[in-house]
mmCIF file of all heavy atoms in Angstrom:
data_model
loop_
_atom_site.group_PDB
_atom_site.id
_atom_site.type_symbol
_atom_site.label_atom_id
_atom_site.label_comp_id
_atom_site.label_asym_id
_atom_site.label_seq_id
_atom_site.Cartn_x
_atom_site.Cartn_y
_atom_site.Cartn_z
ATOM 1 N N CYS A 1 0.853 -1.195 -0.028
ATOM 2 C CA CYS A 1 0.031 0.002 0.016
ATOM 3 C C CYS A 1 0.874 1.210 -0.023
ATOM 4 O O CYS A 1 0.524 2.241 -0.661
ATOM 5 C CB CYS A 1 -0.965 0.005 1.199
ATOM 6 S SG CYS A 1 -2.250 -1.276 1.169
ATOM 7 N N SER A 2 1.965 1.235 0.773
ATOM 8 C CA SER A 2 2.832 2.457 0.807
ATOM 9 C C SER A 2 3.462 2.723 -0.547
ATOM 10 O O SER A 2 3.694 3.830 -0.858
ATOM 11 C CB SER A 2 3.963 2.291 1.875
ATOM 12 O OG SER A 2 4.841 1.154 1.520
ATOM 13 N N ARG A 3 3.671 1.630 -1.330
ATOM 14 C CA ARG A 3 4.274 1.848 -2.676
ATOM 15 C C ARG A 3 3.239 2.315 -3.578
ATOM 16 O O ARG A 3 3.534 3.104 -4.525
ATOM 17 C CB ARG A 3 4.891 0.538 -3.193
ATOM 18 C CG ARG A 3 6.084 0.067 -2.448
ATOM 19 C CD ARG A 3 6.860 -0.938 -3.271
ATOM 20 N NE ARG A 3 6.000 -2.126 -3.509
ATOM 21 C CZ ARG A 3 5.969 -3.224 -2.721
ATOM 22 N NH1 ARG A 3 6.716 -3.245 -1.615
ATOM 23 N NH2 ARG A 3 5.185 -4.204 -3.000
ATOM 24 N N MET A 4 1.946 2.004 -3.419
ATOM 25 C CA MET A 4 0.914 2.387 -4.325
ATOM 26 C C MET A 4 0.384 3.788 -4.089
ATOM 27 O O MET A 4 -0.057 4.484 -4.986
ATOM 28 C CB MET A 4 -0.293 1.447 -4.257
ATOM 29 C CG MET A 4 0.003 0.070 -4.716
ATOM 30 S SD MET A 4 0.457 -0.011 -6.462
ATOM 31 C CE MET A 4 -1.101 0.455 -7.182
ATOM 32 N N LEU A 5 0.450 4.267 -2.857
ATOM 33 C CA LEU A 5 -0.092 5.597 -2.410
ATOM 34 C C LEU A 5 0.979 6.679 -2.686
ATOM 35 O O LEU A 5 1.808 6.882 -1.806
ATOM 36 C CB LEU A 5 -0.576 5.590 -0.956
ATOM 37 C CG LEU A 5 -1.735 4.707 -0.722
ATOM 38 C CD1 LEU A 5 -2.037 4.707 0.782
ATOM 39 C CD2 LEU A 5 -2.968 5.152 -1.451
ATOM 40 N N THR A 6 1.026 7.298 -3.864
ATOM 41 C CA THR A 6 1.976 8.422 -4.108
ATOM 42 C C THR A 6 1.041 9.694 -4.258
ATOM 43 O O THR A 6 0.064 9.739 -4.900
ATOM 44 C CB THR A 6 2.671 8.112 -5.401
ATOM 45 O OG1 THR A 6 1.778 7.910 -6.489
ATOM 46 C CG2 THR A 6 3.605 6.867 -5.174
ATOM 47 N N PRO A 7 1.600 10.845 -3.824
ATOM 48 C CA PRO A 7 0.792 12.122 -3.899
ATOM 49 C C PRO A 7 0.725 12.575 -5.333
ATOM 50 O O PRO A 7 1.660 12.468 -6.124
ATOM 51 C CB PRO A 7 1.659 13.044 -3.083
ATOM 52 C CG PRO A 7 3.068 12.504 -3.079
ATOM 53 C CD PRO A 7 2.870 11.003 -3.118
ATOM 54 N N ALA A 8 -0.454 13.050 -5.730
ATOM 55 C CA ALA A 8 -0.722 13.561 -7.085
ATOM 56 C C ALA A 8 -0.128 14.969 -7.238
ATOM 57 O O ALA A 8 0.105 15.396 -8.309
ATOM 58 C CB ALA A 8 -2.146 13.578 -7.452
ATOM 59 N N PHE A 9 -0.014 15.727 -6.171
ATOM 60 C CA PHE A 9 0.456 17.061 -6.125
ATOM 61 C C PHE A 9 1.376 17.280 -4.931
ATOM 62 O O PHE A 9 0.888 17.347 -3.854
ATOM 63 C CB PHE A 9 -0.741 18.033 -6.170
ATOM 64 C CG PHE A 9 -0.342 19.458 -6.280
ATOM 65 C CD1 PHE A 9 -0.177 20.059 -7.479
ATOM 66 C CD2 PHE A 9 -0.172 20.244 -5.151
ATOM 67 C CE1 PHE A 9 0.136 21.410 -7.626
ATOM 68 C CE2 PHE A 9 0.108 21.547 -5.232
ATOM 69 C CZ PHE A 9 0.296 22.190 -6.468
ATOM 70 N N ALA A 10 2.591 17.375 -5.147
ATOM 71 C CA ALA A 10 3.496 17.495 -4.000
ATOM 72 C C ALA A 10 4.750 18.178 -4.474
ATOM 73 O O ALA A 10 5.152 18.205 -5.623
ATOM 74 C CB ALA A 10 3.797 16.109 -3.426
ATOM 75 N N GLN A 11 5.436 18.744 -3.491
ATOM 76 C CA GLN A 11 6.728 19.329 -3.750
ATOM 77 C C GLN A 11 7.762 18.210 -4.069
ATOM 78 O O GLN A 11 7.811 17.185 -3.491
ATOM 79 C CB GLN A 11 7.283 20.114 -2.531
ATOM 80 C CG GLN A 11 8.698 20.751 -2.745
ATOM 81 C CD GLN A 11 9.089 21.538 -1.566
ATOM 82 O OE1 GLN A 11 8.349 21.594 -0.597
ATOM 83 N NE2 GLN A 11 10.282 22.098 -1.632
ATOM 84 N N ALA A 12 8.580 18.504 -5.131
ATOM 85 C CA ALA A 12 9.569 17.515 -5.546
ATOM 86 C C ALA A 12 10.649 17.334 -4.444
ATOM 87 O O ALA A 12 11.152 18.252 -3.848
ATOM 88 C CB ALA A 12 10.275 18.017 -6.779
ATOM 89 N N LEU A 13 10.844 16.054 -4.101
ATOM 90 C CA LEU A 13 11.780 15.781 -3.057
ATOM 91 C C LEU A 13 13.155 15.356 -3.691
ATOM 92 O O LEU A 13 13.222 14.825 -4.814
ATOM 93 C CB LEU A 13 11.311 14.569 -2.144
ATOM 94 C CG LEU A 13 9.962 14.870 -1.470
ATOM 95 C CD1 LEU A 13 9.511 13.623 -0.705
ATOM 96 C CD2 LEU A 13 10.097 16.076 -0.456
ATOM 97 N N PRO A 14 14.203 15.575 -2.964
ATOM 98 C CA PRO A 14 15.502 15.254 -3.524
ATOM 99 C C PRO A 14 15.580 13.684 -3.740
ATOM 100 O O PRO A 14 15.291 12.870 -2.864
ATOM 101 C CB PRO A 14 16.538 15.703 -2.392
ATOM 102 C CG PRO A 14 15.750 16.682 -1.599
ATOM 103 C CD PRO A 14 14.323 16.275 -1.678
ATOM 104 N N PRO A 15 16.004 13.280 -4.944
ATOM 105 C CA PRO A 15 16.067 11.854 -5.213
ATOM 106 C C PRO A 15 17.300 11.289 -4.484
ATOM 107 O O PRO A 15 18.234 11.908 -4.116
ATOM 108 C CB PRO A 15 16.284 11.777 -6.743
ATOM 109 C CG PRO A 15 16.859 13.048 -7.051
ATOM 110 C CD PRO A 15 16.349 14.066 -6.092
ATOM 111 N N THR A 16 17.289 9.975 -4.373
ATOM 112 C CA THR A 16 18.420 9.244 -3.778
ATOM 113 C C THR A 16 19.645 9.256 -4.622
ATOM 114 O O THR A 16 20.770 9.173 -4.105
ATOM 115 C CB THR A 16 18.041 7.777 -3.456
ATOM 116 O OG1 THR A 16 17.601 7.150 -4.673
ATOM 117 C CG2 THR A 16 16.839 7.775 -2.462
ATOM 118 N N ASN A 17 19.503 9.400 -5.902
ATOM 119 C CA ASN A 17 20.636 9.480 -6.773
ATOM 120 C C ASN A 17 21.416 10.755 -6.533
ATOM 121 O O ASN A 17 20.830 11.809 -6.345
ATOM 122 C CB ASN A 17 20.157 9.475 -8.278
ATOM 123 C CG ASN A 17 21.315 9.273 -9.199
ATOM 124 O OD1 ASN A 17 22.398 9.851 -9.053
ATOM 125 N ND2 ASN A 17 21.065 8.451 -10.204
ATOM 126 N N SER A 18 22.733 10.684 -6.384
ATOM 127 C CA SER A 18 23.542 11.825 -6.073
ATOM 128 C C SER A 18 23.597 12.836 -7.175
ATOM 129 O O SER A 18 23.935 13.980 -6.982
ATOM 130 C CB SER A 18 24.953 11.339 -5.717
ATOM 131 O OG SER A 18 25.555 10.676 -6.830
ATOM 132 N N GLN A 19 23.311 12.464 -8.433
ATOM 133 C CA GLN A 19 23.301 13.311 -9.573
ATOM 134 C C GLN A 19 21.943 14.050 -9.683
ATOM 135 O O GLN A 19 21.024 13.560 -10.166
ATOM 136 C CB GLN A 19 23.597 12.576 -10.841
ATOM 137 C CG GLN A 19 24.985 11.951 -10.873
ATOM 138 C CD GLN A 19 25.253 11.251 -12.185
ATOM 139 O OE1 GLN A 19 24.330 11.095 -13.002
ATOM 140 N NE2 GLN A 19 26.519 10.871 -12.410
ATOM 141 N N THR A 20 21.864 15.217 -9.099
ATOM 142 C CA THR A 20 20.663 16.035 -9.054
ATOM 143 C C THR A 20 20.912 17.443 -9.605
ATOM 144 O O THR A 20 22.008 17.898 -9.735
ATOM 145 C CB THR A 20 20.075 16.110 -7.605
ATOM 146 O OG1 THR A 20 21.031 16.844 -6.810
ATOM 147 C CG2 THR A 20 19.779 14.693 -7.055
ATOM 148 N N GLU A 21 19.751 18.115 -9.881
ATOM 149 C CA GLU A 21 19.788 19.496 -10.264
ATOM 150 C C GLU A 21 18.640 20.183 -9.624
ATOM 151 O O GLU A 21 17.658 19.522 -9.301
ATOM 152 C CB GLU A 21 19.831 19.703 -11.727
ATOM 153 C CG GLU A 21 18.576 19.109 -12.463
ATOM 154 C CD GLU A 21 18.657 19.239 -13.972
ATOM 155 O OE1 GLU A 21 19.704 19.661 -14.482
ATOM 156 O OE2 GLU A 21 17.572 19.006 -14.560
ATOM 157 N N THR A 22 18.740 21.485 -9.465
ATOM 158 C CA THR A 22 17.684 22.200 -8.846
ATOM 159 C C THR A 22 17.189 23.329 -9.778
ATOM 160 O O THR A 22 17.973 23.844 -10.639
ATOM 161 C CB THR A 22 18.160 22.867 -7.546
ATOM 162 O OG1 THR A 22 19.241 23.776 -7.802
ATOM 163 C CG2 THR A 22 18.516 21.843 -6.514
ATOM 164 N N ILE A 23 15.905 23.654 -9.675
ATOM 165 C CA ILE A 23 15.273 24.758 -10.323
ATOM 166 C C ILE A 23 14.826 25.653 -9.217
ATOM 167 O O ILE A 23 14.070 25.304 -8.334
ATOM 168 C CB ILE A 23 14.127 24.325 -11.193
ATOM 169 C CG1 ILE A 23 14.565 23.436 -12.395
ATOM 170 C CG2 ILE A 23 13.365 25.573 -11.733
ATOM 171 C CD1 ILE A 23 13.415 23.007 -13.204
ATOM 172 N N GLN A 24 15.314 26.937 -9.239
ATOM 173 C CA GLN A 24 15.003 27.807 -8.193
ATOM 174 C C GLN A 24 14.730 29.187 -8.727
ATOM 175 O O GLN A 24 15.070 29.514 -9.848
ATOM 176 C CB GLN A 24 16.084 27.918 -7.121
ATOM 177 C CG GLN A 24 17.445 28.333 -7.671
ATOM 178 C CD GLN A 24 18.481 28.213 -6.591
ATOM 179 O OE1 GLN A 24 18.204 27.941 -5.468
ATOM 180 N NE2 GLN A 24 19.720 28.486 -7.000
ATOM 181 N N GLY A 25 13.983 30.006 -7.901
ATOM 182 C CA GLY A 25 13.700 31.315 -8.351
ATOM 183 C C GLY A 25 12.940 32.119 -7.329
ATOM 184 O O GLY A 25 12.836 31.644 -6.183
ATOM 185 N N THR A 26 12.364 33.263 -7.749
ATOM 186 C CA THR A 26 11.638 34.147 -6.853
ATOM 187 C C THR A 26 10.413 34.662 -7.483
ATOM 188 O O THR A 26 10.392 34.910 -8.718
ATOM 189 C CB THR A 26 12.545 35.393 -6.481
ATOM 190 O OG1 THR A 26 13.837 34.925 -6.080
ATOM 191 C CG2 THR A 26 11.953 36.240 -5.466
ATOM 192 N N VAL A 27 9.316 34.706 -6.708
ATOM 193 C CA VAL A 27 8.069 35.307 -7.160
ATOM 194 C C VAL A 27 8.117 36.795 -6.708
ATOM 195 O O VAL A 27 8.226 37.058 -5.507
ATOM 196 C CB VAL A 27 6.876 34.514 -6.635
ATOM 197 C CG1 VAL A 27 5.576 35.156 -7.090
ATOM 198 C CG2 VAL A 27 6.930 33.073 -7.081
ATOM 199 N N VAL A 28 7.776 37.717 -7.658
ATOM 200 C CA VAL A 28 7.792 39.130 -7.303
ATOM 201 C C VAL A 28 6.600 39.820 -7.748
ATOM 202 O O VAL A 28 5.787 39.317 -8.585
ATOM 203 C CB VAL A 28 9.012 39.738 -7.957
ATOM 204 C CG1 VAL A 28 10.324 39.180 -7.471
ATOM 205 C CG2 VAL A 28 8.949 39.754 -9.443
ATOM 206 N N ASN A 29 6.276 40.977 -7.162
ATOM 207 C CA ASN A 29 5.191 41.894 -7.489
ATOM 208 C C ASN A 29 5.625 42.573 -8.727
ATOM 209 O O ASN A 29 6.654 43.319 -8.760
ATOM 210 C CB ASN A 29 4.933 42.864 -6.382
ATOM 211 C CG ASN A 29 3.772 43.720 -6.592
ATOM 212 O OD1 ASN A 29 3.608 44.300 -7.669
ATOM 213 N ND2 ASN A 29 2.931 43.855 -5.628
ATOM 214 N N SER A 30 4.861 42.469 -9.840
ATOM 215 C CA SER A 30 5.257 43.097 -11.119
ATOM 216 C C SER A 30 5.246 44.626 -11.062
ATOM 217 O O SER A 30 5.900 45.254 -11.874
ATOM 218 C CB SER A 30 4.333 42.687 -12.205
ATOM 219 O OG SER A 30 2.973 43.125 -11.979
ATOM 220 N N VAL A 31 4.619 45.205 -10.127
ATOM 221 C CA VAL A 31 4.534 46.692 -10.013
ATOM 222 C C VAL A 31 5.607 47.243 -9.077
ATOM 223 O O VAL A 31 6.387 48.124 -9.446
ATOM 224 C CB VAL A 31 3.097 47.145 -9.420
ATOM 225 C CG1 VAL A 31 3.101 48.665 -9.256
ATOM 226 C CG2 VAL A 31 2.013 46.730 -10.491
ATOM 227 N N THR A 32 5.758 46.628 -7.907
ATOM 228 C CA THR A 32 6.743 47.138 -6.940
ATOM 229 C C THR A 32 8.025 46.377 -7.014
ATOM 230 O O THR A 32 9.049 46.778 -6.433
ATOM 231 C CB THR A 32 6.181 47.001 -5.471
ATOM 232 O OG1 THR A 32 6.053 45.623 -5.127
ATOM 233 C CG2 THR A 32 4.826 47.718 -5.377
ATOM 234 N N HIS A 33 8.041 45.184 -7.695
ATOM 235 C CA HIS A 33 9.169 44.317 -7.832
ATOM 236 C C HIS A 33 9.646 43.707 -6.433
ATOM 237 O O HIS A 33 10.792 43.220 -6.325
ATOM 238 C CB HIS A 33 10.386 45.076 -8.467
ATOM 239 C CG HIS A 33 10.017 45.627 -9.823
ATOM 240 N ND1 HIS A 33 9.711 44.841 -10.944
ATOM 241 C CD2 HIS A 33 9.874 46.913 -10.181
ATOM 242 C CE1 HIS A 33 9.396 45.617 -11.949
ATOM 243 N NE2 HIS A 33 9.519 46.933 -11.524
ATOM 244 N N GLU A 34 8.809 43.810 -5.446
ATOM 245 C CA GLU A 34 9.098 43.248 -4.173
ATOM 246 C C GLU A 34 8.786 41.748 -4.211
ATOM 247 O O GLU A 34 7.829 41.308 -4.834
ATOM 248 C CB GLU A 34 8.257 43.876 -3.063
ATOM 249 C CG GLU A 34 8.587 45.363 -2.912
ATOM 250 C CD GLU A 34 7.678 46.028 -1.845
ATOM 251 O OE1 GLU A 34 6.692 45.399 -1.491
ATOM 252 O OE2 GLU A 34 8.005 47.174 -1.407
ATOM 253 N N PRO A 35 9.508 40.880 -3.407
ATOM 254 C CA PRO A 35 9.220 39.457 -3.346
ATOM 255 C C PRO A 35 7.894 39.219 -2.672
ATOM 256 O O PRO A 35 7.482 39.975 -1.812
ATOM 257 C CB PRO A 35 10.471 38.944 -2.553
ATOM 258 C CG PRO A 35 10.928 40.070 -1.743
ATOM 259 C CD PRO A 35 10.682 41.272 -2.530
ATOM 260 N N ILE A 36 7.252 38.148 -3.070
ATOM 261 C CA ILE A 36 5.943 37.789 -2.558
ATOM 262 C C ILE A 36 6.090 36.442 -1.788
ATOM 263 O O ILE A 36 6.349 35.400 -2.416
ATOM 264 C CB ILE A 36 4.873 37.585 -3.681
ATOM 265 C CG1 ILE A 36 4.799 38.904 -4.506
ATOM 266 C CG2 ILE A 36 3.557 37.171 -3.119
ATOM 267 C CD1 ILE A 36 3.859 38.791 -5.660
ATOM 268 N N GLY A 37 5.941 36.527 -0.491
ATOM 269 C CA GLY A 37 5.960 35.330 0.338
ATOM 270 C C GLY A 37 4.691 34.574 0.319
ATOM 271 O O GLY A 37 3.587 35.081 0.088
ATOM 272 N N ARG A 38 4.725 33.245 0.636
ATOM 273 C CA ARG A 38 3.594 32.375 0.700
ATOM 274 C C ARG A 38 2.720 32.329 -0.564
ATOM 275 O O ARG A 38 1.542 32.223 -0.473
ATOM 276 C CB ARG A 38 2.660 32.754 1.923
ATOM 277 C CG ARG A 38 3.407 32.868 3.269
ATOM 278 C CD ARG A 38 4.101 31.490 3.631
ATOM 279 N NE ARG A 38 3.094 30.444 3.716
ATOM 280 C CZ ARG A 38 3.393 29.129 3.805
ATOM 281 N NH1 ARG A 38 4.665 28.714 3.647
ATOM 282 N NH2 ARG A 38 2.484 28.204 3.891
ATOM 283 N N ALA A 39 3.467 32.394 -1.693
ATOM 284 C CA ALA A 39 2.777 32.227 -2.991
ATOM 285 C C ALA A 39 2.959 30.753 -3.434
ATOM 286 O O ALA A 39 3.986 30.108 -3.128
ATOM 287 C CB ALA A 39 3.394 33.175 -4.022
ATOM 288 N N LEU A 40 1.945 30.245 -4.058
ATOM 289 C CA LEU A 40 2.010 28.851 -4.576
ATOM 290 C C LEU A 40 2.690 28.853 -5.886
ATOM 291 O O LEU A 40 2.212 29.503 -6.835
ATOM 292 C CB LEU A 40 0.645 28.286 -4.603
ATOM 293 C CG LEU A 40 0.541 26.884 -5.314
ATOM 294 C CD1 LEU A 40 1.272 25.848 -4.421
ATOM 295 C CD2 LEU A 40 -0.953 26.487 -5.501
ATOM 296 N N VAL A 41 3.794 28.036 -6.061
ATOM 297 C CA VAL A 41 4.388 27.790 -7.354
ATOM 298 C C VAL A 41 4.119 26.381 -7.687
ATOM 299 O O VAL A 41 4.356 25.432 -6.955
ATOM 300 C CB VAL A 41 5.945 28.034 -7.247
ATOM 301 C CG1 VAL A 41 6.614 27.874 -8.611
ATOM 302 C CG2 VAL A 41 6.226 29.482 -6.726
ATOM 303 N N PHE A 42 3.616 26.153 -8.903
ATOM 304 C CA PHE A 42 3.190 24.857 -9.318
ATOM 305 C C PHE A 42 3.378 24.608 -10.788
ATOM 306 O O PHE A 42 3.480 25.514 -11.645
ATOM 307 C CB PHE A 42 1.691 24.614 -8.898
ATOM 308 C CG PHE A 42 0.803 25.537 -9.544
ATOM 309 C CD1 PHE A 42 0.050 25.192 -10.660
ATOM 310 C CD2 PHE A 42 0.648 26.861 -9.066
ATOM 311 C CE1 PHE A 42 -0.920 26.042 -11.283
ATOM 312 C CE2 PHE A 42 -0.259 27.719 -9.686
ATOM 313 C CZ PHE A 42 -0.970 27.379 -10.786
ATOM 314 N N SER A 43 3.320 23.363 -11.222
ATOM 315 C CA SER A 43 3.307 22.994 -12.690
ATOM 316 C C SER A 43 1.883 22.914 -13.047
ATOM 317 O O SER A 43 0.966 22.510 -12.334
ATOM 318 C CB SER A 43 4.038 21.657 -12.823
ATOM 319 O OG SER A 43 3.367 20.652 -12.122
ATOM 320 N N PRO A 44 1.671 23.307 -14.405
ATOM 321 C CA PRO A 44 0.288 23.311 -14.896
ATOM 322 C C PRO A 44 -0.395 21.968 -14.795
ATOM 323 O O PRO A 44 -1.615 21.855 -14.713
ATOM 324 C CB PRO A 44 0.455 23.761 -16.359
ATOM 325 C CG PRO A 44 1.685 24.551 -16.350
ATOM 326 C CD PRO A 44 2.555 23.836 -15.369
#
């Protein structure tokens, strides 16, 4: 059951393989250019 129950929408977790890469960035206000905290970033 633990192998079958995988989340459909979750933050990507670091894989066990040591060869990894990261995608990172910042969400900002387009008018003030200030960063926006507690914003949801997601794939379509």
